[in-house]
Amino acid sequence: MQAKEAAEVEIIRLLKAGKDSYISGQALSAALGVSRTAVWKHIEKAREMGFSIEALPSKGYRLNTSADAPFNGIEVSSGLETGFIGRNICFYPSLDSTNMKAFELGRQGAPEGTAVIADSQTGGKGRLGRRWESPAGANLYTSIILRPGIPPRHAHNLTFLSAVAVAETVERFSPVRPTVKWPNDILLDGKKVAGILMEMDSEPDRVHFVVAGIGVNINIKVTAFPDRLRPMATSLYEKSGKETNRAVFTCVLYSSLEKWYKVYREKGFLPLMEAWKGFFASVGKTVTVRSFDSVIEGVCLGVDDDDGALLVKTRAGAIERVVSGDVEIKRDGL
Ligand code: BT5
């Protein structure tokens, strides 16, 4: 969170912790180390940001939790339980692309864990120049800056890391267990609920930073998507029939990312791969993999534990290792 809003974050955090009870202006001013007038100004600012805060002269302030919480940086920051991911949040009502903004911030030296969030994107990016539909008011579009200090050839590991964190988080909020489509689509009943775009800034032997861009369809109704997307996209709302609080989802996602990032740094890639395989449901299925210069069809044998390459056995009996491309899952067996 930008430092200038730190007081609002703290006030919302304290009011949330107080559940539905009132907290006196005096208690807030003591907790924040500012005057009661300053508290009142921060309360006004929080109201302007969409928080419903009731005030009673004799009792103090209370957050009306039955009112719709706004989705903004203060709401996300006040629910965070992480050490560094999301501790510096840059929230925008609209951006061209959160990945582009995170890249810009990364180049300016933004600290590891800096997270960009937008309520909507006008130029949301998929892989290979494709577009990510990013309407306002419904979904999560976020990009996180990581500085793992690894060689570029290992940067792909972070794709699997992000996929595990997204799948694990989606699982918490969905009645249907998610699966991953190699390497990083998250599916519910075979339809895409989330996508991940990793981009990096590096020199030949060292990654300066990686941007993990994550888009999750949370409260959108599939009818709001363009026609061609409707058969292949879904959302948490479509599966659960109820709205999910986007800020709560974001906080759980950041916690999961941080947990797996620590596992990666302390124990390496293998534990990530194991977790990723727990969501992978393509083994034994016939797949077609299209990359920029080839099309491979065969039975999916699994993934290489060392680098996550997809292993495909072709009709001719050769085992192909695929390191990049788009997978289409056909049917069981060849
Ligand atoms: C991805 O690309 O799946 C990566 C998407 C990453 C989006 C996030 S949002 C935050 C951050 N900022 C950005 O600018 N991007 C990242 P790919 O595997 O290439 O899939 C793109 C394809 O998915 C499109 O060609 C469509 O067919 C489909 N698609 C587009 N929007 C979708 C949506 N909202 N839900 C499901 N599928 C979608």
Side-chain angles (χ1 to χ4, degrees):
M1 182 84 269
Q2 285 103 332
K4 58 183 169 49
E5 283 164 355
E8 284 76 20
V9 171
E10 201 43 37
I11 286 178
I12 297 297
R13 197 189 277 278
L14 290 166
L15 292 178
K16 277 183 179 171
K19 307 275 184 228
D20 277 334
S21 57
Y22 282 86
I23 302 187
S24 71
Q26 198 174 3
L28 289 176
S29 90
L32 270 77
V34 298
S35 69
R36 288 179 65 172
T37 316
V39 166
W40 179 80
K41 283 188 183 151
H42 291 305
I43 294 271
E44 277 307 296
K45 170 111 185 277
R47 283 177 172 151
E48 280 163 26
M49 306 280 298
F51 292 95
S52 171
I53 301 172
E54 294 165 5
L56 278 182
S58 55
K59 291 183 164 178
Y61 302 99
R62 184 179 88 103
L63 185 67
N64 181 358
T65 47
S66 59
D68 282 346
F71 181 54
N72 57 34
I74 294 178
E75 175 69 355
V76 174
S77 294
S78 67
L80 272 183
E81 292 182 350
T82 54
F84 67 97
I85 290 192
R87 285 289 155 193
N88 178 30
I89 288 185
C90 304
F91 181 93
Y92 301 84
S94 178
L95 271 182
D96 44 4
S97 152
T98 56
N99 263 37
M100 277 160 66
K101 177 53 84 178
F103 221 84
E104 194 183 304
L105 295 173
R107 287 220 162 117
Q108 290 164 6
E112 176 159 74
T114 294
V116 177
I117 306 175
D119 183 47
S120 70
Q121 298 183 113
T122 51
K125 299 199 293 177
R127 293 177 304 142
L128 307 166
R130 290 186 289 237
R131 183 179 159 79
W132 187 255
E133 294 299 330
S134 312
N139 300 329
L140 175 63
Y141 317 109
T142 184
S143 300
I144 298 107
I145 298 173
L146 299 170
R147 298 184 181 275
I150 51 175
R153 67 177 191 285
H154 288 161
H156 203 43
N157 293 352
L158 299 177
T159 302
F160 291 88
L161 189 157
S162 305
V164 169
V166 176
E168 189 176 81
T169 306
V170 166
E171 188 175 21
R172 283 270 294 270
F173 294 87
S174 163
V176 178
R177 188 156 201 265
T179 56
V180 290
K181 183 158 84 89
W182 187 91
N184 58 353
D185 283 355
I186 313 299
L187 311 179
L188 290 175
D189 288 335
K191 295 185 176 186
K192 190 156 166 172
V193 68
I196 298 164
L197 174 67
M198 306 297 295
E199 295 184 290
M200 69 171 160
D201 186 72
S202 74
E203 49 191 288
D205 55 0
R206 196 173 66 95
V207 170
H208 295 151
F209 63 87
V210 170
V211 168
I214 298 170
V216 187
N217 299 331
I218 297 187
N219 293 323
I220 192 156
K221 296 191 179 70
V222 164
T223 47
F225 278 132
D227 285 355
R228 60 174 184 84
L229 263 192
R230 290 183 198 173
M232 51 181 156
T234 191
S235 69
L236 287 177
Y237 178 82
E238 289 290 339
K239 292 294 159 195
S240 65
K242 58 177 196 247
E243 299 236 327
T244 296
N245 182 309
R246 287 186 285 165
V248 173
F249 183 96
T250 308
C251 290
V252 174
L253 173 64
Y254 290 173
S255 289
S256 180
L257 274 170
E258 187 166 297
K259 176 184 81 183
W260 287 109
Y261 192 63
K262 283 185 185 153
V263 169
Y264 176 59
R265 305 210 66 168
E266 284 160 21
K267 304 198 172 124
F269 185 51
L270 205 56
L272 285 186
M273 214 51 242
E274 287 304 320
W276 185 91
K277 285 194 278 190
F279 292 103
F280 185 52
S282 306
V283 178
K285 304 230 163 118
T286 296
V287 294
T288 306
V289 192
R290 291 189 175 78
S291 52
F292 71 101
D293 61 352
S294 69
V295 178
I296 297 167
E297 187 170 300
V299 176
C300 174
L301 298 181
V303 285
D304 187 324
D305 282 342
D306 288 338
D307 61 358
L310 188 72
L311 304 173
V312 180
K313 187 173 182 187
T314 64
R315 264 180 205 284
I319 296 177
E320 300 276 355
R321 290 180 87 258
V322 184
V323 292
S324 72
D326 281 313
V327 174
E328 190 188 326
I329 303 162
K330 291 202 158 160
R331 58 194 152 76
D332 293 341
L334 194 59

